[in-house]
Amino acid sequence: MAKKKKIRKFEPIIVGNWKMNLFYQETEDLIVGLREDLKNYRREATIIVCPSFPYLDRAHELLIASKIKLGAQDVFWEKEGNYTGEVCVEMLKEMGCQYVIIGHSERRNFLRETDEMVDRKTVAALRHQLTPIICVGETKEERRQGIHYMVIDDQVKKALRYVSPIFHNERLIIAYEPVWSIYPGQPCAPNQAKEFAMVIHQTLIDLYPEEVVARNFRIIYGGSVNEKNVLDYVDGEHFSGVLVGNASLAADSFAKIIKRF
Ligand code: PGA
């Protein structure tokens, strides 16, 4: 009889990034639908949804007593003050957020968010026990020029420049999201994506002791993830989870992704 392949147990992280796609009623319906679809889901997994700012409070209410956790799509680094339009960590905590996406490529592109801003936001999040989900990823052009590994190494190093030391209870998630693979782009070949996970891991090892990297950091993949391809990326060794945009916008398709674990 063929020997069964031993798979290391890990707790997958599945993040739904709803971007600016859902209005109030749609956000409510999606959360209610997800809760229903996942009511018998028993696997140890970290499931996070990130609705738009104005709906965080309502989302929090609907998620009480559910295993789904709440995240925000961005945060500002200052504690409070005259910063029109910005939202600080403390406000997100009041809304029940435990996670925050930082440095998504759409913010880097459309709003000119820099590595320095990503770094400041990361420090602010950690200071108040909000887990950052830091996005890094190369553009098609950077890949064409052959500088993709350098770009990723640089983004990770810059995002973590002032993040030291790392304390025992702090958690940081790095999301590798090749910019060109974000929907409606094309998914990155899983083997290629895994090479980037190794680059990120090596960068982290350059920055922190190995036990800190193993204990405090998780690396996840994002970019056109769906129920069919999700397990091609997540093996618990390279990637511990996924950041899902488009396929997280319907309860049915998001729940199917989650249930693949
Ligand atoms: P996608 O988005 O799953 O729609 O490609 C991922 C993301 O932008 O976080």
Side-chain angles (χ1 to χ4, degrees):
M1 201 170 78
K3 253 194 177 171
K4 256 196 183 168
K5 203 176 162 200
K6 215 171 158 197
I7 297 170
R8 198 160 59 90
K9 276 206 175 140
F10 68 100
E11 188 178 316
I13 302 166
I14 306 122
V15 189
N17 175 12
W18 295 345
K19 310 191 182 183
M20 205 176 68
N21 285 306
L22 304 175
F23 290 89
Y24 186 93
Q25 193 57 53
E26 294 162 324
T27 304
E28 248 191 27
D29 292 349
L30 179 47
I31 293 175
V32 171
L34 265 179
R35 282 183 45 174
E36 184 58 25
D37 282 355
L38 297 176
K39 67 173 185 259
N40 297 321
Y41 183 71
R42 299 274 173 264
R43 164 105 209 225
E44 286 303 318
T46 304
I47 303 163
I48 305 158
V49 295
C50 303
S52 298
F53 280 144
Y55 312 139
L56 286 173
D57 200 21
R58 180 65 183 135
H60 182 224
E61 256 172 42
L62 291 169
L63 291 174
I64 287 172
S66 126
K67 67 174 295 179
I68 304 170
K69 300 190 162 76
L70 191 62
Q73 298 176 20
D74 184 37
V75 68
F76 189 53
W77 56 81
E78 293 293 347
K79 277 164 104 174
E80 60 177 308
N82 300 333
Y83 304 103
T84 304
E86 293 298 338
V87 172
C88 65
V89 178
E90 209 53 45
M91 292 172 181
L92 295 183
K93 298 272 296 197
E94 279 185 337
M95 294 296 107
C97 291
Q98 293 172 266
Y99 296 83
V100 61
I101 297 173
I102 296 177
H104 191 280
S105 61
E106 284 150 12
R107 295 197 61 81
R108 292 180 191 256
N109 290 342
F110 300 130
L111 295 148
R112 297 281 165 263
E113 197 157 297
T114 63
D115 289 321
E116 198 211 343
M117 293 175 182
V118 173
D119 180 29
R120 297 181 80 173
K121 291 177 179 195
T122 303
V123 171
L126 286 173
R127 200 187 300 128
H128 298 275
Q129 296 84 48
L130 199 62
T131 300
I133 302 168
I134 305 164
C135 300
V136 297
E138 82 288 0
T139 61
K140 223 181 186 123
E141 178 55 22
E142 286 161 344
R143 200 170 253 237
R144 199 191 57 76
Q145 288 176 23
I147 56 170
H148 38 289
Y149 293 143
M150 234 171 64
V151 167
I152 300 302
D153 176 69
D154 197 51
Q155 283 180 5
V156 174
K157 284 195 171 130
K158 284 183 173 154
L160 298 172
R161 191 162 25 192
Y162 295 111
V163 183
S164 190
I166 304 254
F167 298 106
H168 201 279
N169 60 346
E170 289 178 338
R171 292 285 174 271
L172 295 93
I173 300 171
I174 311 281
Y176 169 60
E177 292 205 309
V179 178
W180 48 273
S181 78
I182 291 173
Y183 182 86
Q186 76 222 55
C188 180
N191 284 348
Q192 274 180 25
K194 287 176 188 176
E195 279 172 26
F196 281 87
M198 290 194 277
V199 170
I200 293 170
H201 187 259
Q202 186 54 51
T203 305
L204 294 174
I205 294 287
D206 292 347
L207 295 172
Y208 305 104
E210 245 177 281
E211 69 273 14
V212 170
V213 175
R215 186 185 63 213
N216 299 62
F217 284 90
R218 292 290 173 272
I219 305 172
I220 63 175
Y221 171 79
S224 297
V225 170
N226 57 45
E227 82 199 64
K228 293 203 183 86
N229 65 19
V230 61
L231 292 187
D232 297 339
Y233 296 101
V234 185
D235 52 12
E237 202 175 311
H238 298 86
F239 293 111
S240 310
V242 279
L243 178 51
V244 190
N246 190 57
S248 72
L249 296 175
D252 179 47
S253 66
F254 195 35
K256 277 187 183 148
I257 291 175
I258 296 165
K259 286 179 186 167
R260 297 285 281 151
F261 294 98

